[in-house]
Amino acid sequence: MKMESHLLKPTRNFPNNPDLPLIIYRAVTPKTGTPVALFFEEIFTKHAWPAAWRYTMYDFAHYHSNTHEVFGVFQGHARVRFGNGSGFETSLDMGDIVIIPAGVAHQRLNSIDNFEAVGAYPEGFSPNMHYGLPDDLTAMLHQIEEVPIPSTDPAFGSKGSLITLWKETLHTHSR
């Protein structure tokens, strides 16, 4: 398994998250005969990120200002963009997990083979939807700053990169 992290700066219309990096775990799959979707639902729920949906990523740029999000790809392949204009594009395949900090724009650009993922949010949180309207930016930045850092990484619990990367950020920036 390979881990990537990407810090995404605000753009004119999207706040992104200048403090917490987006995390991608590549090729995380069950070692047993467990179906990949069920595997993601079980590990996310086990680590206090209850599985909330099975679906695709929307094909328009959006973000959530009130919660972080995780999704685990269980089917297909997609080209996605994170962070909108100041961000990056990447491909996601079955077995990839993406932890998206509150405020980070995300969008599916194209997909094949019925691209679908399991999505989840930290326990007790449900997402709002924002579409990058310029008038919302200042208010959303303040709301994003108030979203707490979860106590566990949705994929690896207390041993995951969210704990090390995001907790270090907490100490560095005194959020």
Side-chain angles (χ1 to χ4, degrees), residues 115-136:
F115 175 77
E116 289 196 62
V118 168
Y121 311 94
E123 202 162 69
F125 289 84
S126 30
N128 57 20
M129 288 286 283
H130 295 282
Y131 308 98
L133 301 175
D135 294 342
D136 290 348

Side-chain angles (χ1 to χ4, degrees), residues 74-90:
F74 69 85
Q75 181 174 287
H77 169 87
R79 187 87 184 146
V80 298
R81 178 184 297 131
F82 294 106
N84 207 283
S86 70
F88 69 101
E89 291 181 16
T90 191

Side-chain angles (χ1 to χ4, degrees), residues 53-59 74 78 108 111 114-117:
W53 52 264
R54 285 187 185 188
Y55 196 58
T56 188
M57 181 188 291
Y58 293 128
D59 62 359
F74 69 85
R108 177 178 45 86
S111 62
N114 298 318
F115 175 77
E116 289 196 62

